[in-house]
């Protein structure tokens, strides 16, 4: 019996099915992540965090709830974690990255929607998501049509709040977004019964800025000629960032960065010298999904940058800490989150230019535009991204895939061909 079996039973999970899920993810993690050679010792914490994401982390949140805290489930990096933390609540990203749960979503939802939505819903519907029964509210957003209509259905079942994301970065859009952030503050305060105070919010803004700066520092090490960490391990760190306790996460990330700096001094890298450098751009790779990075890095390439919600979009841009009132702090929060360059915006020249800038800063040889199936905004925007990369002289491919393993051979062939084109 697993040490957390009683916890899962008490939460009402389908324990036998959940254990199959855990075994499936564990096997995949072992095959893809743990099998890497020459990993930093500091990755041990993040391996354990993944291992305990359905166990120890759940117990922590259950214990915190007994002390009066609330848990808020989120599905997007547009949700301001600072406001949740300042109201004595715990933000946790609920996005699913496994194909295991998708059949359970397809019993109710159309097959032709994105795998991230189906995986997330399937975990909840199959009673294999331990976060589902302990959340006090879920927060969705309007970044795509599949999500918007899904929220309509979920809001009939659970306590749900939808944040509207403007589609244009105009002054009107900015004003609407500020209203949405204020409304979210009001909803969080009503849920928790706690008024968000200036000093507490200031502390949480500083905490999340510290987290962003550390992730930026980690990623700057990937700019070096011989990166001290693999793209797969860097992705694991980003995935853990979405659900771990932030203070502890920062402390452990500092330890890892220190070790990576020592590896740089000693010329230690997981990559073969001269390995082609890849940027993966587009859809996020949430926990359970390491597919594209694995194919690139087992084909001889090195993923040195992630332009996604599990990459640069998560940690770039800081919140101005100079606000003198709660209202000014909320304006600063709105300003920072509005700077995220999601493909839901039109026009989105900001993102196109940013990708070209990342290519230069990370000394990228080739770009893989990774699009989750039916993610129309990233898929169509890929046309403009490809054009900008061609103009910059950077070879690239667009791959559209899901969480299944069936197309891995085909993807490997295409990525190996891209790799050969880089070698010339």
């Amino acid at each position: 019996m697993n040490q957390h079996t009683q916890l899962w039973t008490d939460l009402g999970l389908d324990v036998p099915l959940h254990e199959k899920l855990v075994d499936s993810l564990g096997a995949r993690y072992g095959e893809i992540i743990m099998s890497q050679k020459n990993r930093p010792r500091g990755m041990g914490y993040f391996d354990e965090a993944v291992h305990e994401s359905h166990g120890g982390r759940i117990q922590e949140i259950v214990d915190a709830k007994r002390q009066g805290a609330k848990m808020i489930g989120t599905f997007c990096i547009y949700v301001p974690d600072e406001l949740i933390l300042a109201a004595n609540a715990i933000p946790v990203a609920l996005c699913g990255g496994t194909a295991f749960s998708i059949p359970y979503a397809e019993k109710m939802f159309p097959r032709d929607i994105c795998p991230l939505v189906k995986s997330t819903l399937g975990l909840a519907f199959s009673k294999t998501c331990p976060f589902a029964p302990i959340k006090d509210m879920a927060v969705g957003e309007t970044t795509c049509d599949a999500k918007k209509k899904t929220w309509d259905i979920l809001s009939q079942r659970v306590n749900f709040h939808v944040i509207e994301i403007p589609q244009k970065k105009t002054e009107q859009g900015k004003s609407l977004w500020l209203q949405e952030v204020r409304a979210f503050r009001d909803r969080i305060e009503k849920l928790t019964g706690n008024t968000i105070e200036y000093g507490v919010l200031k502390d949480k803004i500083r905490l999340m800025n510290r987290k962003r700066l550390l992730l930026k520092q980690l990623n700057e090490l990937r700019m070096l000629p011989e990166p001290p960490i693999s793209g797969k391990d860097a992705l694991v760190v980003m995935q853990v960032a979405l659900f771990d306790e932030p203070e502890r996460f920062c402390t452990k990330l500092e330890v890892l960065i220190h070790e990576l700096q020592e590896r740089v001094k000693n010329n230690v890298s997981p990559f073969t010298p001269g390995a082609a450098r890849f940027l993966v751009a587009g859809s996020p790779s949430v926990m359970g999904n390491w597919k594209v990075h694995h194919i690139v890095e087992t084909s001889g390439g090195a993923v040195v940058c992630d332009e996604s919600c599990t990459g640069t979009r998560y940690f770039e841009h800081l919140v101005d800490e100079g606000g003198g009132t709660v209202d000014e702090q909320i304006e600063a929060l709105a300003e920072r989150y509005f700077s995220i360059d999601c493909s839901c915006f039109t026009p989105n020249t900001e993102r196109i230019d940013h990708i070209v800038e990342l290519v230069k800063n990370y000394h990228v040889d080739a770009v893989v535009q990774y699009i989750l199936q039916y993610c129309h905004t990233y898929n169509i925007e890929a046309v403009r991204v490809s054009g900008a990369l061609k103009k910059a002289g950077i070879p690239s491919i667009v791959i559209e895939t899901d969480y299944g393993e069936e197309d891995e051979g085909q993807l490997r062939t295409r990525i190996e061909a891209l790799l050969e084109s880089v070698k010339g």
Side-chain angles (χ1 to χ4, degrees), residues 119 136 147 149 158 195 238 242 246 307 339 359 375 379 420:
S119 178
D136 296 282
K147 282 186 169 183
K149 303 320 295 180
V158 301
T195 300
M238 287 300 310
L242 296 177
E307 189 275 329
S339 67
V359 164
C375 185
N379 207 358
E420 287 301 316

Side-chain angles (χ1 to χ4, degrees), residues 77-289:
I77 62 170
Y78 274 102
V79 180
D81 285 345
E82 292 89 341
L83 291 176
I84 298 174
L85 292 165
N88 189 31
I90 302 167
V92 175
L94 297 180
C95 297
T98 173
F100 181 94
S101 57
I102 285 178
Y104 299 94
E106 290 180 342
K107 291 179 180 178
M108 173 183 290
F109 282 77
R111 292 174 60 87
D112 298 339
I113 59 175
C114 94
L116 188 148
V117 171
K118 288 192 291 186
S119 178
T120 304
L121 295 176
L123 288 169
F125 294 169
S126 62
K127 297 185 177 181
T128 56
C129 176
F131 293 104
I134 62 174
K135 69 179 181 306
D136 296 282
M137 187 173 77
V139 185
E141 80 306 323
T142 58
T143 50
C144 75
D145 290 345
K147 282 186 169 183
K148 281 187 287 189
K149 303 320 295 180
T150 298
W151 308 152
D152 285 353
I153 296 171
L154 289 185
S155 62
Q156 296 174 338
R157 296 178 168 219
V158 301
N159 187 19
F160 209 95
H161 180 79
V162 178
I163 296 179
E164 182 173 353
I165 309 292
Q167 307 293 288
K168 297 177 72 175
K169 288 192 174 179
T170 59
E171 285 303 313
Q172 285 179 314
K174 194 172 179 180
S175 176
L176 169 62
W177 173 239
L178 178 57
Q179 292 177 46
E180 288 295 306
V181 175
R182 285 173 174 157
F184 180 60
R185 183 269 308 269
D186 294 344
R187 184 71 184 268
I188 289 292
E189 287 185 338
K190 184 177 180 181
L191 174 77
T192 61
N194 298 323
T195 300
I196 294 177
E197 304 287 351
Y198 171 79
V200 179
L201 182 53
K202 190 175 185 68
D203 288 344
K204 301 310 177 188
I205 289 173
R206 284 176 173 167
L207 171 61
M208 294 305 294
N209 274 349
R210 178 187 171 208
K211 186 178 181 183
R212 294 182 186 107
L213 284 169
L214 287 168
L215 288 168
K216 183 172 182 284
Q217 193 176 354
L218 169 73
N219 279 273
E220 285 174 347
L221 291 168
R222 301 171 73 192
M223 295 179 180
L224 297 173
E226 303 295 339
I229 185 170
S230 71
K232 286 190 283 188
D233 278 340
L235 178 60
V236 168
V237 172
M238 287 300 310
Q239 292 172 341
V240 171
L242 296 177
F243 65 84
D244 198 13
E245 195 286 316
E247 289 274 9
R248 180 179 58 211
F249 175 86
C250 289
T251 300
K252 296 299 183 182
L253 183 51
E254 283 178 333
V255 172
L256 175 63
I257 289 171
H258 177 72
E259 181 187 353
L260 295 180
Q261 290 168 335
E262 291 299 312
R263 284 165 67 97
V264 171
K265 290 178 185 175
N266 295 312
N267 299 315
V268 178
S269 172
F271 300 119
T272 303
R277 301 167 67 90
F278 282 73
L279 183 153
V280 176
S283 300
S285 297
V286 298
M287 194 169 69
N289 179 17

